[in-house]
Amino acid sequence: FSGGGGGNSNCPASALFNEPGVFHVPTKGNEVLELKANMDSGQRFSKIVLDMSFVHGGWNKNSNFLHSIFWLNRGSRWASNLFGYLNAFGPNKNTVKMQTNVDLAAGQLIVAESNAKLNPGTEYLVHYEYDAANRKVIAQVSEKGGPVVVTLQTATSVNVVRSEAPGWFIVFGHKNNGSGSKEVETYGWQYKDLCVQLVP
């Protein structure tokens, strides 16, 4: 495992998602950004590699709830197509948590969570691999120019990354709809330098 993250000058033209610079800053009425990439069903890959960075814009008043880093999904529905859901929790909890559920039964999740103190105003690099061929998922969050803050690892639920129409989507930010949601807005956070690759 070799970390990357932050800046995507080496992101290839063939990347699934390539968003240089600051591409989303949540504000009231613009809390969530969803990017889409069309792809036919049945294409097969060994792994997904994601690199990005974010500037922590401060904790929501409910820091015990999920603060979005990213949500990566395939197909046209959420269930059993979740390849990566990475979130941070604030000073009342101080953890980072990732979840996947690819091809699992409804309600089943693979989860990893670990203590990690993220500080407002700091820029963090994220490196994430869903390595189906080697049956492992790794998420690493580091301070830009500084130490690794947290590394999470779990097993995958599949041994190949398979596409499903209409393709892939990735989401940044949350919108709390007030109906029991445990996801909160990340106003003022800066999501930067995204590069997501599907590796044959």
Side-chain angles (χ1 to χ4, degrees), residues 38-175:
N38 293 332
M39 184 175 291
D40 293 335
S41 296
Q43 297 190 50
R44 298 165 73 88
F45 305 91
S46 66
K47 67 179 175 178
I48 301 172
V49 179
L50 178 152
D51 287 296
M52 61 173 288
S53 65
F54 67 93
V55 178
H56 193 316
W59 296 112
N60 189 286
K61 61 184 179 181
N62 196 330
S63 60
N64 283 328
F65 287 4
L66 285 75
H67 293 66
S68 167
I69 299 176
F70 71 85
W71 187 331
L72 178 64
N73 220 84
R74 72 173 177 196
S76 59
R77 58 192 175 87
W78 301 99
S80 303
N81 287 297
L82 179 61
F83 276 87
Y85 186 41
L86 189 65
N87 290 275
F89 297 83
N92 296 331
K93 191 174 182 181
N94 284 329
T95 66
V96 171
K97 181 178 183 179
M98 73 173 179
Q99 302 176 65
T100 66
N101 70 0
V102 183
D103 291 349
L104 295 179
Q108 290 188 327
L109 288 166
I110 297 174
V111 179
E113 185 171 7
S114 183
N115 294 335
K117 185 178 180 180
L118 303 183
N119 297 308
T122 301
E123 183 168 355
Y124 293 95
L125 311 182
V126 178
H127 183 78
Y128 183 84
E129 295 187 12
Y130 190 100
D131 186 350
N134 291 301
R135 303 302 297 263
K136 62 183 179 180
V137 187
I138 298 176
Q140 187 176 86
V141 180
S142 307
E143 289 187 18
K144 186 174 182 180
V148 173
V149 177
V150 64
T151 301
L152 303 173
Q153 184 168 334
T154 67
T156 68
S157 51
V158 294
N159 61 10
V160 66
V161 175
R162 177 178 44 80
S163 64
E164 288 190 4
W168 298 82
F169 60 95
I170 188 167
V171 179
F172 302 92
H174 289 312
K175 186 173 183 177

